[in-house]
Amino acid sequence: MTQPSRMKRLASEGAVIVLSILLAFWIDAWWERRQAREAEATVLESIREEVEANRVELDLLEDRSANQVDRIDRFMAASPAALRALPQDTVLPWLSAMIITWTYDEDESAAGLFLGSSTPVTDRARDVRRVLARWARIMEDTDEEKAGFWETGATLAELFAPRTAGIT
């Protein structure tokens, strides 16, 4: 074999080897991106389901709170005679509306996992991460309000005890 053809053959083999390695790296990177997108899609679906469950819970809590506010308003507007006329087995729900504070305790398991996981792959996931981070900050702030509500409920129980002593 002549020297130029041998060099040509070595250059060709070298180029094939380099291209093969580059192709393998590209395939590996493509596969990892694909798996990351699939995992991200699964987590995003879990977050969607969690958000829906939280929305249902919030709706129930909102209805319960509206009913309790109505009950409190009617109790406060009632005359002492009307309060004494209440059947004894209905007094506890009236008072409970004032002293039992219904607070929202969100489910953030999927959201928490997503926020603690690796960097999002897609633009949609980056947007979801931004919204979830804001949601998490808001929920942290509500913990302080929860404590205040429970304290207020206890204070109301103390204040209403003398007023209700004659009806129970």
Side-chain angles (χ1 to χ4, degrees):
M1 195 185 262
T2 66
Q3 188 67 14
S5 73
R6 181 174 151 87
M7 291 298 277
K8 194 176 186 181
R9 182 179 168 160
L10 282 175
S12 297
E13 287 178 7
V16 167
I17 290 171
V18 168
L19 287 175
S20 297
I21 291 171
L22 291 175
L23 179 63
F25 282 141
W26 179 82
I27 290 171
D28 186 52
W30 170 81
W31 183 251
E32 284 182 16
R33 282 191 310 273
R34 181 174 181 253
Q35 286 180 318
R37 281 192 306 272
E38 287 176 6
E40 186 177 88
T42 301
V43 170
L44 290 175
E45 178 59 22
S46 296
I47 291 169
R48 188 199 63 74
E49 291 170 1
E50 186 174 279
V51 167
E52 181 61 30
N54 282 332
R55 180 75 247 170
V56 167
E57 183 65 28
L58 275 170
D59 288 343
L60 291 172
L61 186 59
E62 186 177 20
D63 289 344
R64 179 182 288 147
S65 295
N67 289 337
Q68 286 190 292
V69 167
D70 178 58
R71 188 178 287 258
I72 291 167
D73 287 344
R74 289 187 287 144
F75 182 87
M76 297 304 291
S79 68
L83 291 174
R84 280 191 288 281
L86 288 174
Q88 284 193 358
D89 62 347
T90 64
V91 173
L92 183 60
W94 286 89
L95 296 176
S96 296
M98 288 178 254
I99 62 174
I100 296 177
T101 306
W102 295 100
T103 55
Y104 173 66
D105 296 311
E106 77 284 357
D107 178 9
E108 57 180 38
S109 53
L113 287 173
F114 184 68
L115 288 172
S117 68
S118 61
T119 306
V121 177
T122 63
D123 288 338
R124 179 175 177 238
R126 282 188 268 293
D127 292 340
V128 168
R129 180 182 284 266
R130 192 170 26 262
V131 170
L132 286 178
R134 183 169 180 263
W135 166 257
R137 283 191 305 276
I138 291 169
M139 289 297 100
E140 286 174 9
D141 291 344
T142 63
D143 288 338
E144 294 174 20
E145 281 82 16
K146 285 179 193 178
F149 279 131
W150 281 102
E151 278 182 37
T152 302
T155 302
L156 282 173
E158 290 173 15
L159 293 173
F160 284 117
R163 181 170 178 174
T164 59
I167 38 178
T168 57

